[in-house]
Amino acid sequence: MSVHLHDHVEWTDQLEPASRELLEHRWPDATKVFSGRGLDNYVKGAAALRGLGRGHELVDAWIDGAPQVAQEIGEDVVGELATTALMLASKTSGAVIELVLATAPTAARRLADGTLFLQYLQFLNTLVAQAPRGLRPMLGQLDALFGQLTLGGLRRWATWGAQAHRTNYEEQIAYFSLQSKESLAMLQKERKGTLLVDVQRRINMYLRALWGRNFYMKPTAGDFETRDGYRPFIEDHFIHLPDAYDAVDGNAGPVDATQLYRAAAAHAAAHVVFTRQPISAESLSPWQMALIGLVEDARVESLTLARFPGLRPLWASLHTAQASQGRTAGDWLGRLARALLDPAYDDTHPWITQGRTLLAEALPRMQADPHDNSVSWELGVQLAHSYRELTQGPAFQPRTDLQTAAYRDDNRYFWAFDGFDFERSIAAGHEPPQQLRKQVSLMEFVHELEVEGAGDDAQEIWVLGTELFPYEDLGVSFNQSEGREPVLPPVHYAEWDHMIQLERPAWATVQERRPKAGDVAVIDGILAEHRRLIGRMKHILDAMQPQGVQRIRKLEDGDEIDLNAALASVIEMRLGRQPDPRIMMRSVRKTRDISVLVLLDLSQSTNDKVAGQDQTVLELTRSACAVLADAIQKVGDPFAIHGFCSDGRHDVNYWRFKDFDQPYDDLAKARLAGMEGQLSTRMGAAIRHAAAALKAQRSSKKLLLVITDGEPADVDVRDPQYLRHDTKKAVEEAGRHGVMTYCMSLDPRADQYVRRIFGERHYLVVDKVDKLPEKLPVLYAGLTR
């Protein structure tokens, strides 16, 4: 890639003369911050923005701002900035896009991290949809806002204003321009004490003064939903500190945010200096890992205090555990952590005393080889074994029993998880090695072929892009001849963890399966049994059919004059009365434009019989779907019927009984007849997969109708709230993409949770399950009217 501007003449010729002159003036500065490829993207971005036809001011803002953004946080994010500007072109005016580009250097300087800047661009895309009139005044106040708020705080402040003033544009503008009392009150509420960007230079100098070397720090933003944020952590030799800290209560009084930053940075730097080798988590329980991590924290702090004893009062002031606390395992961890750091802390419990004694005995060994962390493993395991005997304390809960010292990191830096899965270890036992899916060519596959599929114990699965057909039996694949399903690629989805208020990326795996075919006569029998219901539904369905072109009368502004209304107005004028000005009419074409996906919960509980009935929940669900499918087909709406169940987060089974592009024929009916109930209900992943199918439809209205007989649950989840919160998050995500989700629950106790998951008016609890075939088509008619 060339660094000379004249080599990009094919792009610069598209610019207006004023923009070309500005580009020539800025080019020397751009060559200092961009690589050859970055310069190429810089010029192409200017040409692309010129193609929007919004004036040269927009292009000039890009030419001025992009090099400044690259100088602050690197050139990798500049391409995303251009993409965001082009995406906003269809949603807002050129003046607003120009302001986005002009304020981008301010955002880059205040955020000081490429990842946070990309999250900021996503936030702008969301805000322009929620509060289009508020984006421009907010950008005008961006420097003041980022001077007081983190990115998470800015997002919460803006979201509150967008929801509170959704329809009142004047108040919306006043809120986002910081001219209303509500805006200033929310700003004060979301404001944090000290931002990392304001003290980062001082913290860097502080660490350099201690260790005589540079440490690399990055801000993190984990407080989009709450003000808590991430704990500090170390990854790839970068020290990640929260983007803002409030003052905290120490054991001797308040500790300001700057001191907290110093404590967190000094502790993380001690790990970087003294922790050179990872500690294997193989064969360790979560409780053992917690204590090994605590001892490793104490080890690096002891070695650091041997050089810099003045750090002890700073660290010790942030340990607030008291000797009287002992209700949870987290309390005991806090007491032990304080005892290992602070000799003045008075705690005579035998377990605490044992910890102090073991660390004191190991101190000469640690000083002899400061990089040997095997002592942490030995002491941690020993303390874990003696805990129950000496304390009779409560069991350890990994999600809630955390150290209370705010400055300590999460210890991910020194753990090596070889063949170890933390979540499965909670339930006890190790997870078997994950199967490797390998895409191969046809010749590789044929030369090594023994069987096309593989069992659950196979370590490697070879996958072809299409099914394989033997030469001697054309038209029938190996899968069909052996009764096997084709191996489809899995789809991974994130899951929301409400305890840490973060998404776990690629956490749940959806595996689509080929539905088994049953007897079509079963579905025909269901339709014959409910022929009276189908007859009653005919009148409702006829009313829902598109009515073609309709005339809307009594309009002041329309397409043509309504002669009857005009004549009536003339008569009124002749009589000396005030005429009705609504003498126009408009012809409107009435059409239905909706896609519907029915998502069925096919867990094991659907095999249970309904109280007082001979039929199971699954049989009634099948009957309701058959009647509903027959009804939707008569209306002519595109629809699909899918089902799901799960066996842990790695195996969410998903079936497509009838898809949007498939006819509702005997094959679809046979698949409905063959549905079975099994395993568990990981609803969030299934809703995300179903919403992805709905988003591909071009209908203006999209409806996801979930039919379930119980709350979300799975075999690898103990916390009953975990999957409820994840499902709620999946419903919210679907709503942001234009998919309305409605739940029909067959659980009579569902009122306790279904309202919180799906929303106040987006659920129906069917107390009498045997009435499901009657209620489902009527519900559909009401939702799509």
Side-chain angles (χ1 to χ4, degrees):
M1 298 295 177
S2 176
V3 297
H4 301 292
L5 182 59
H6 59 75
D7 292 330
H8 301 276
V9 66
E10 60 177 314
W11 303 107
T12 56
D13 282 350
Q14 301 178 25
L15 306 180
E16 295 185 6
S19 298
R20 282 201 302 270
E21 183 179 351
L22 179 62
L23 181 60
E24 292 173 359
H25 180 69
R26 293 286 186 267
W27 190 256
D29 294 332
T31 57
K32 296 176 182 179
V33 296
F34 284 115
S35 65
R37 183 177 297 276
L39 289 170
D40 187 57
N41 292 333
Y42 176 48
V43 177
K44 289 179 179 178
L49 292 171
R50 171 66 181 85
L52 294 178
R54 302 292 180 91
H56 72 89
E57 294 85 359
L58 177 60
V59 181
D60 294 348
W62 165 263
I63 294 173
D64 263 334
Q68 299 179 54
V69 172
Q71 184 177 6
E72 294 290 342
I73 52 178
E75 67 175 33
D76 291 341
V77 301
V78 175
E80 291 295 329
L81 176 60
T83 301
T84 299
L86 294 172
M87 291 174 60
L88 289 174
S90 63
K91 304 175 184 178
T92 187
S93 65
V96 174
I97 303 173
E98 179 187 345
L99 198 53
V100 169
L101 296 175
T103 57
T106 299
R109 183 176 65 256
R110 297 300 303 183
L111 296 173
D113 181 68
T115 303
L116 293 185
F117 186 77
L118 294 180
Q119 294 176 0
Y120 165 72
L121 296 179
Q122 294 174 359
F123 157 69
L124 294 183
N125 267 317
T126 303
L127 183 61
V128 76
Q130 294 178 339
R133 302 290 181 89
L135 183 57
R136 184 170 185 170
M138 188 200 75
L139 292 172
Q141 302 290 334
L142 195 64
D143 196 16
L145 290 169
F146 269 135
Q148 304 179 61
L149 300 177
T150 65
L151 177 58
L154 177 65
R155 173 174 158 177
R156 291 192 302 275
W157 173 83
T159 301
W160 192 94
Q163 294 176 350
H165 308 299
R166 182 173 300 174
T167 57
N168 193 323
Y169 295 133
E170 292 183 1
E171 291 186 5
Q172 189 179 111
I173 293 173
Y175 181 91
F176 283 93
S177 56
L178 296 179
Q179 294 178 359
S180 69
K181 293 182 179 180
E182 293 173 336
S183 175
L184 297 177
M186 286 301 299
L187 181 66
Q188 187 63 32
K189 178 182 177 182
E190 297 298 341
R191 180 177 181 177
K192 281 214 170 185
T194 301
L195 304 182
L196 176 61
V197 68
D198 292 329
V199 299
Q200 186 169 354
R201 181 177 175 82
R202 280 182 281 167
I203 299 301
N204 272 322
M205 295 173 63
Y206 176 70
L207 295 183
R208 185 171 179 80
L210 289 176
W211 298 104
R213 54 169 287 188
N214 288 324
F215 294 86
Y216 302 99
M217 290 186 291
K218 284 186 175 183
T220 63
D223 55 352
F224 280 172
E225 304 298 334
T226 69
R227 300 179 79 249
D228 296 339
Y230 284 128
R231 291 179 64 190
F233 65 94
I234 308 168
E235 194 169 67
D236 297 329
H237 301 288
F238 278 89
I239 297 174
H240 296 257
L241 298 176
D243 52 1
Y245 265 140
D246 284 322
V248 297
D249 293 327
N251 54 51
V255 179
D256 65 61
T258 303
Q259 292 294 91
L260 181 55
Y261 269 123
R262 287 177 179 170
H267 177 82
H271 273 305
V272 174
V273 172
F274 292 115
T275 305
R276 300 287 181 85
Q277 299 294 327
I279 299 176
S280 175
E282 187 71 25
S283 303
L284 293 176
S285 69
W287 176 236
Q288 291 171 329
M289 291 173 61
L291 280 167
I292 292 171
L294 187 150
V295 175
E296 177 65 9
D297 288 337
R299 184 185 75 87
V300 299
E301 288 184 351
S302 297
L303 293 170
T304 303
L305 292 174
R307 298 189 184 187
F308 313 110
L311 282 173
R312 190 187 302 275
L314 174 61
W315 282 337
S317 65
L318 293 164
H319 286 267
T320 58
Q322 301 296 328
S324 59
Q325 296 174 342
R327 291 186 303 171
T328 66
D331 292 339
W332 288 99
L333 289 176
R335 290 170 59 180
L336 181 60
R338 184 175 181 182
L340 296 182
L341 172 68
D342 186 4
Y345 169 61
D346 184 18
D347 194 330
T348 59
H349 190 277
W351 190 64
I352 304 298
T353 303
Q354 180 191 21
R356 277 176 158 165
T357 303
L358 291 174
L359 185 66
E361 293 174 350
L363 189 59
R365 176 181 165 188
M366 293 188 299
Q367 293 174 340
D369 187 358
H371 304 304
D372 179 18
N373 54 18
S374 62
V375 63
S376 300
W377 195 96
E378 296 169 6
L379 269 61
V381 171
Q382 189 171 347
L383 288 169
H385 289 166
S386 61
Y387 167 75
R388 189 60 62 88
E389 177 184 350
L390 295 178
T391 67
Q392 284 79 44
F396 177 63
Q397 302 297 328
R399 294 181 182 273
T400 56
D401 290 337
L402 306 174
Q403 293 191 45
T404 56
Y407 71 92
R408 287 192 171 177
D409 59 271
D410 61 6
N411 287 340
R412 72 178 69 176
Y413 172 65
F414 55 78
W415 284 115
F417 295 93
D418 297 331
F420 183 82
D421 187 301
F422 180 80
E423 293 295 325
R424 290 294 180 99
S425 71
I426 299 176
H430 299 289
E431 183 182 8
Q434 294 297 309
Q435 291 178 337
L436 173 65
R437 305 176 71 85
K438 182 179 179 182
Q439 297 284 341
V440 296
S441 67
L442 176 62
M443 295 311 298
E444 287 179 299
F445 196 90
V446 171
H447 289 160
E448 295 291 335
L449 178 63
E450 291 182 2
V451 294
E452 184 189 6
D456 294 336
D457 57 345
Q459 296 183 2
E460 186 174 283
I461 297 178
W462 284 20
V463 183
L464 281 176
T466 59
E467 291 194 70
L468 183 63
F469 293 84
Y471 296 110
E472 64 274 8
D473 193 6
L474 296 177
V476 179
S477 69
F478 278 112
N479 282 327
Q480 293 171 327
S481 63
E482 296 182 7
R484 291 177 176 269
E485 299 178 9
V487 181
L488 299 176
V491 184
H492 305 287
Y493 292 98
E495 259 189 12
W496 179 257
D497 190 329
H498 72 286
M499 294 298 298
I500 60 176
Q501 289 293 300
L502 292 174
E503 276 192 343
R504 297 180 178 270
W507 194 250
T509 302
V510 175
Q511 181 67 63
E512 291 203 18
R513 311 284 186 184
R514 176 182 290 172
K516 298 179 180 178
D519 188 359
V520 181
V522 174
I523 303 300
D524 293 336
I526 292 172
L527 297 178
E529 179 185 353
H530 294 89
R531 61 183 181 275
R532 292 185 178 179
L533 172 62
I534 295 173
R536 290 198 304 269
M537 286 296 299
K538 184 177 184 301
H539 301 288
I540 300 177
L541 299 177
D542 288 342
M544 294 172 59
Q545 293 288 351
Q547 298 299 317
V549 177
Q550 291 185 353
R551 287 180 176 176
I552 302 177
R553 301 179 184 272
K554 294 287 186 179
L555 298 176
E556 291 188 11
D557 182 18
D559 298 330
E560 53 184 319
I561 296 177
D562 184 351
L563 293 179
N564 292 333
L567 182 60
S569 295
V570 171
I571 294 173
E572 292 293 324
M573 286 191 293
R574 292 290 181 90
L575 293 174
R577 301 172 186 170
Q578 180 68 30
D580 189 344
R582 297 173 298 172
I583 61 171
M584 304 296 290
M585 65 181 180
R586 180 181 294 119
S587 299
V588 179
R589 183 177 179 83
K590 293 290 185 178
T591 59
R592 287 175 58 84
D593 188 17
I594 183 172
S595 296
V596 182
L597 193 152
V598 182
L599 183 62
L600 306 177
D601 169 13
L602 299 179
S603 58
Q604 180 65 36
S605 58
T606 59
N607 294 322
D608 298 338
K609 289 188 176 182
V610 179
Q613 299 285 329
D614 292 332
Q615 291 181 302
T616 64
V617 174
L618 179 65
E619 290 171 343
L620 289 171
T621 302
R622 182 189 292 118
S623 299
C625 284
V627 175
L628 178 64
D630 190 74
I632 299 177
Q633 186 183 26
K634 291 181 178 179
V635 179
D637 295 333
F639 73 100
I641 302 177
H642 298 175
F644 75 97
C645 68
S646 63
D647 187 18
R649 67 182 180 93
H650 292 300
D651 192 11
V652 181
N653 297 327
Y654 196 92
W655 294 275
R656 296 176 184 251
F657 301 108
K658 193 269 179 195
D659 222 340
F660 290 105
D661 57 352
Q662 297 172 348
Y664 184 59
D665 52 12
D666 288 345
L667 177 58
K669 293 179 180 179
R671 290 172 175 172
L672 283 178
M675 67 171 60
E676 298 177 349
Q678 55 185 335
L679 305 175
S680 302
T681 316
R682 204 176 197 97
M683 194 177 295
I687 287 179
R688 290 183 177 92
H689 197 63
L694 267 173
K695 285 187 289 186
Q697 298 301 303
R698 296 185 177 181
S699 304
S700 60
K701 186 176 181 181
K702 304 177 180 68
L703 171 64
L704 175 59
L705 182 57
V706 182
I707 302 177
T708 179
D709 69 328
E711 62 181 315
D714 212 341
V715 293
D716 58 349
V717 177
R718 290 187 174 184
D719 181 4
Q721 297 296 330
Y722 175 81
L723 289 179
R724 292 183 186 178
H725 283 272
D726 174 62
T727 305
K728 182 176 184 293
K729 204 72 175 180
V731 171
E732 293 172 353
E733 292 170 5
R736 286 196 292 269
H737 290 92
V739 177
M740 185 185 81
T741 307
Y742 194 96
C743 177
M744 175 175 275
S745 178
L746 312 181
D747 180 6
R749 300 180 301 275
D751 296 279
Q752 303 172 4
Y753 58 84
V754 71
R755 179 188 296 109
R756 294 196 297 271
I757 294 176
F758 292 93
E760 184 67 34
R761 299 181 179 180
H762 292 268
Y763 75 96
L764 173 67
V765 178
V766 181
D767 295 325
K768 297 182 179 180
V769 183
D770 56 319
K771 301 295 183 182
L772 178 61
E774 299 178 15
K775 291 192 173 185
L776 185 56
V778 177
L779 172 66
Y780 170 77
L783 291 175
T784 60
R785 185 177 299 276

